[in-house]
Amino acid sequence: MPSLGRLHLITDTRPGREPLAVLRAALPVARAELVVQVRMEDDATDREAYELARRMVALCRPYEATCLVNDRLHVALAVDAAGGHVGADDLPVAAARQVLGSTAVLGVTARDPGTAVAAVAGGASYLGVGPCHATATKAGLPDPIGPHGVRAVAEAVDVPLIAIGGVTAARVPALRAAGAYGVAVVGALSQAADPARVTAELIEALTC
C-alpha cells in the first residue's frame, strides 16, 4: 500500500471553486504528505468525475502525492488512482476492498468505535473520523464529535485516523493529541486567499 500522507485535501467542486488551482498551490508545499480525495457533487456525471480525477492523478504523480477517488470506485480504477474512500451510503467496506484489490488504499468514514472496528475488519486502510468541529462545507452532517470522539475511535483501532470537519491549523494539535494521524480539509484550502500559505501552516502543525 502507498504511504499515507498526513494532510488530506478533499476537492471542493461547488460552483465558483477551483480545485485544480488549489491542488497546484498545495502540492509543492506538502508534496508526499498530501493525499488528494477527489469528491464530486452528487449531480456530477461520471465523465466529469473521470476528467477531474485523471488530471489530479497526473498532477500528484511528480510529487509522489497520493490521489484517491471518493465514492466512485470505478472512476478510481479507470484513472489508476491509489485507491478510494467510501462512506456510509456507498459500497460496504468489504465489497469496496474487493473492487479496489488488496494493495489499494481504502479509506472509510467512521465516527464511533463500533463502526470503526467493523470498517477495519472489512479492510479499511485508514479511517476518516468526524465531523470533529462544526462545518458548513457539507450539509446534513451529524453533530461534531470533538477531540474526545477522535480519542474514543483511536483507542479502538490500530489504523491511521484522519480527522475531518472544521479543521484549522490551530485545531490540529488537539486532534493529534487525541490520536489523529492526520487531518482532512475542504474549506480551509478551497476558500483560502493563499492556499499555499495555509497548506504550510497545516503541514507545520501536523509535523512539529
Side-chain angles (χ1 to χ4, degrees):
M1 186 186 81
S3 61
L4 191 68
R6 293 184 186 273
L7 177 60
H8 289 225
L9 167 59
I10 301 178
T11 58
D12 190 345
T13 58
R14 292 174 295 176
R17 307 300 188 209
E18 299 181 358
L20 287 167
V22 172
L23 178 58
R24 290 190 186 99
L27 275 169
V29 179
R31 304 187 71 87
E33 284 290 358
L34 190 67
V35 176
V36 182
Q37 295 184 32
V38 183
R39 185 173 76 185
M40 306 294 294
E41 297 300 298
D42 291 340
D43 59 355
T45 66
D46 282 349
R47 175 62 66 87
E48 290 170 330
Y50 171 81
E51 291 297 340
L52 179 60
R54 179 181 61 82
R55 295 176 71 181
M56 289 197 154
V57 166
L59 287 172
C60 287
R61 191 165 289 126
Y63 295 95
E64 298 184 347
T66 300
C67 189
L68 311 175
V69 178
N70 287 24
D71 313 332
R72 309 184 193 214
L73 301 186
H74 57 301
V75 174
L77 294 173
V79 301
D80 196 26
H85 186 104
V86 294
D89 296 328
D90 302 317
L91 281 178
V93 181
R97 171 55 71 196
Q98 186 173 7
V99 168
L100 290 175
S102 61
T103 60
V105 177
L106 174 58
V108 179
T109 300
R111 59 179 277 108
D112 62 78
T115 304
V117 169
V120 173
S125 308
Y126 75 88
L127 300 177
V129 182
C132 298
H133 301 282
T135 175
T137 303
K138 189 175 182 181
L141 292 173
D143 292 337
I145 62 172
H148 64 281
V150 174
R151 186 181 304 279
V153 175
E155 292 174 348
V157 297
D158 59 0
V159 299
L161 303 188
I162 305 299
I164 184 172
V167 172
T168 63
R171 288 171 168 167
V172 167
L175 294 169
R176 292 275 285 136
Y181 170 80
V183 298
V185 296
V186 186
L189 285 179
S190 72
Q191 300 177 45
D194 187 347
R197 179 182 59 80
V198 176
T199 299
E201 292 171 352
L202 286 163
I203 290 294
E204 183 179 5
L206 285 164
T207 57
C208 66

